[in-house]
Structure formats: C-alpha cells, structure tokens
Amino acid sequence: MDSSVQSGNLLIKFLTTLLVPVNFVVFFFLDFLDAILCVFYRYLDQFLEGKATACYCRRKGDERENADGDGENELSETLYGRRNVFRRIALVGVSGRCEDSEKMNGGSVWNRWSDCGCSSCVDGMENGNQKLYVALREPPRGRSEKPEENVIFLHGFLSSSSLWTETVFPNLCETTKQNYRLFAVDLLGFGRSPKPRDSFYIMKDHLEKIEESVIHQFGLNSFHLVAHSMGCLIALALAAKYSNSVKTITLVAPPYFPSKDGAAMTVLENLAAKRVWPPLLFGSSVMSWYEHVGRCACFFICRHHRIWEWILRRITPRRDIHFRVIDLTKHTHHSAWHSMHNVICGGAKLMDGYLDELTRAGIKINIYHGDRDVVAPIECSYNLKKKAVDATLNMVKNANHQTIILGREREFTQDLEYIWANIA
C-alpha cells in the first residue's frame, strides 16, 4: 500500500514538473498572438467603424476622464498591469490615440461589428431603454396573508437571471409563493440586459443600474439579497449602501480576498492563474489575461450563438439546450472583460469596507461554499468568515462552483426559505 501511494505521488510530481515548460510555451505563444491581434483589430476596427477602438495594451493614462478615484468609480490596475513580453509589437505602426467609434443613440454605443446584433442581445438599447432585465415573480393578487417580502437575486460571471428562475423559482413552497416578491436580475452587460459600449462596468455602474431598475422602479423599502460568485461582490456593495433596508444576505461561492491580499493583480493571479491544467482554469486565464484573444473567442462563440444553438438543438435528443450554455453567450467581450477586471479584481479592495459597514449594521450574512470549488478557492469563504465573525458558513461536501446550486436545487431553496423566515 505504501509503495503504491509513493508511486502515485511520484507520478503527480512528474506531471506537475512537466507542466512547467508546457505552461511557459503555451503562454509565451499567447503573449505573441495577443500582440499581433491588437494590431489586427485596430486596423480592422478603423476600416469597419471609422475609428480604431482603444485597448489596454498601452500604458496607463488612457482611462476615462471621469474616474474620480473613489474606489467604486476606478478602473482596475489589472487592465494595464497584465504582463506581455511582446507588448511593444502592439504599438508598431499605430500612431495617435485610439478612440471609441462614433457614439449612437444619444451616447449609448452598442452592437460593435464583432458583437451579435440579434434582438435578444441588443434588446432595450436600440430604443434608448437602459434599464436592466428583471424576471419578477409576484404573489397572486389578494392572496397574501401578510405584507410582501422582497428578495433580489444577483447571478455570477457569464450567467443570467436564469440561474435563479430555473432553479429556485420552481422549488418554492406555497407559503413563499404567497408572501414573497422575487426579483432575478440580469446584471448590466449580461443576459437580456443592455450591454452599452460606453460603460466600463465598474462597481458603481452595476449598483446604479440595480437601483434604477429594481429598488427605485418597484419602490423597495426592505429586501433580502441572494447572490452567486461575482454577484456576491455586487451584493455586498449594494447591502452596504442600503444597510438600513437589507434584512439578510446569502452569498454562494463568493470570490472574496482580504484587503491585505486584495490588490487587483493578486486576485487575478489567484482566480485566473496562467496554467494549462485544469481546462477550466486555462480557459479562465486566457479570457482574463488576453484582451484580443478573448475578443476572438467572443466573436466566434457569442456573435454566432444562434448558429451554435441551431446545431446543438439538432444533435441533442431533447432539442433543448441547458440555460447555462445559453448564458455563456449572452454578453459582449467589452462587458465581460470589464466586469471581470473592474468588479472581481478591482473590487477586491472595497470588500473589507463593505463588510465593516454590514457588521456595524448587524445584518445577517449566510455563506455557502462547495469544498470542491476550483473557481473560487474555498479559502475565500474561510477568510470572509474571519472578517465577518457573525456570518454563518455552510460548507457543502462534494460541490463545486456550479453544483453548489445545480443538482441540489430543492435543498438550496429550502435553505433560503428558512433564512428568510427566521430573521428577527
């Protein structure tokens, strides 16, 4: 038994050592490819749109003029701080300052040539409506036995309100259906919500849209918050701003890093380390470190999502596609790229301040995390618990970043209902 264990450890050590040169070669090539694509896209954008589009291959200094340095309104340092040994190539033959192409619809830029222009992707932008899409579930009129409770659901990165409408909403008990209003939000830049190109998708942008589209639109004086992954960071920011209105907060797989570890580059290196294995981490690293390679991926997958859906419907027996697959294409490269860097990475330094405010307000925080989560390390929730000592931490065995909800929908919904019903 000891010899077999020793042999297994030697094999793992050998494979780990073998991955080091493979990592170097793969990411060296991606550095070169991203630099070449930078030049390619600048000329192509200029040809198709009249002006080359600004990117982050240049040195810091081209960020938007209205950044006032108040944290929630800052661009992340990871946008300019990503290392690329071929960065100078990206500037060859390009003079002058790149700018966004002509603005349309009174300042809202939409439908870049490399983005999808179907109705579900640009709905609400062409007619000037910039409110978020909200899936609302209300109690039957006249049947509520007590004043309605409100719950706002925020999804994670590359997801949508479908995460909640397909998992929690169908599993509600009759009492909840009678007494709760549920608001599942498509965050700015995702799902069926607007995806403006003149937005940098900073924390403040996301908060303002939720306020406008949910809190103010429906006149919410109090509410519960439920969030997954990236949505947890936005939920904490929203709760800190409305600490007198929030009753409970439920965070599922939060990507939290303490302030001492919360420099944006540290978060990027933890959540999207440059590694070719496992495949999920490799995909995350490519899309997070390589702006132009990521844009290519979005062009082939997101812009042509209707073609891929048509193909999938014909090769799957049931002819329906899981909502997670659909959600993966419901964004633009601009919206996903900036949300990743400005919310997940750049927002890390704001989290401790939000948690201090929530602790002072005595708001109940419940955390759920899978012990097999490789997207947001399990240490994220341990560290959050250390900061918010009164929070309740629930570790779910054999669950990862998705199966913390998927596959246990009924159990998770019952947990939520218990939390809502037992708040003092």
Side-chain angles (χ1 to χ4, degrees), residues 80-110:
Y80 291 96
R82 293 165 294 111
R83 300 180 302 277
N84 187 324
V85 296
F86 296 101
R87 177 160 291 181
R88 290 183 178 273
I89 293 178
L91 303 178
V92 174
V94 181
S95 60
R97 179 178 176 178
C98 296
E99 300 178 0
D100 285 334
S101 53
E102 294 294 341
K103 293 190 175 184
M104 297 174 285
N105 298 327
S108 177
V109 186
W110 53 273

Side-chain angles (χ1 to χ4, degrees), residues 43 90 105 108 124 143 238 352 361 375 383 410:
Y43 282 111
N105 298 327
S108 177
R143 296 182 61 185
L238 187 67
D352 283 1
V375 177
N383 290 330
R410 182 58 189 150

Side-chain angles (χ1 to χ4, degrees), residues 285-398:
S285 63
V286 170
M287 298 301 291
S288 301
W289 286 87
Y290 298 103
E291 181 177 2
H292 306 290
V293 175
R295 185 177 173 186
C296 282
C298 288
F299 173 76
F300 286 109
I301 298 174
C302 300
R303 191 185 194 283
H304 300 95
H305 69 88
R306 289 170 295 179
I307 296 175
W308 296 116
E309 291 168 15
W310 182 87
I311 294 173
L312 287 172
R313 285 194 175 95
R314 277 150 183 80
I315 64 176
T316 54
R318 295 176 56 192
R319 290 181 175 265
D320 58 356
I321 307 173
H322 197 277
F323 70 88
R324 287 174 60 199
V325 177
I326 300 294
D327 287 348
L328 283 174
T329 68
K330 293 296 184 179
H331 64 274
T332 64
H333 176 255
H334 183 84
S335 66
W337 174 260
H338 285 88
S339 292
M340 170 66 187
H341 286 276
N342 290 331
V343 175
I344 298 179
C345 297
K349 63 181 178 294
L350 305 172
M351 292 303 113
D352 283 1
Y354 297 149
L355 289 170
D356 288 339
E357 175 62 30
L358 296 175
T359 299
R360 287 192 293 269
I363 297 172
K364 181 65 175 176
I365 300 176
N366 296 275
I367 310 167
Y368 288 84
H369 214 122
D371 63 356
R372 294 189 177 182
D373 194 331
V374 297
V375 177
I378 196 172
E379 289 76 19
C380 289
S381 285
Y382 286 137
N383 290 330
L384 201 160
K385 169 65 176 173
K386 290 178 182 178
K387 180 65 179 179
V389 293
D390 292 331
T392 300
L393 175 57
N394 305 278
M395 303 307 302
V396 181
K397 292 184 177 181
N398 302 319

Side-chain angles (χ1 to χ4, degrees), residues 2 135 151 177 274 280 294 298 386 403 407:
D2 292 339
V151 186
K177 292 178 181 178
K274 286 187 174 183
L280 183 63
C298 288
K386 290 178 182 178
T403 58

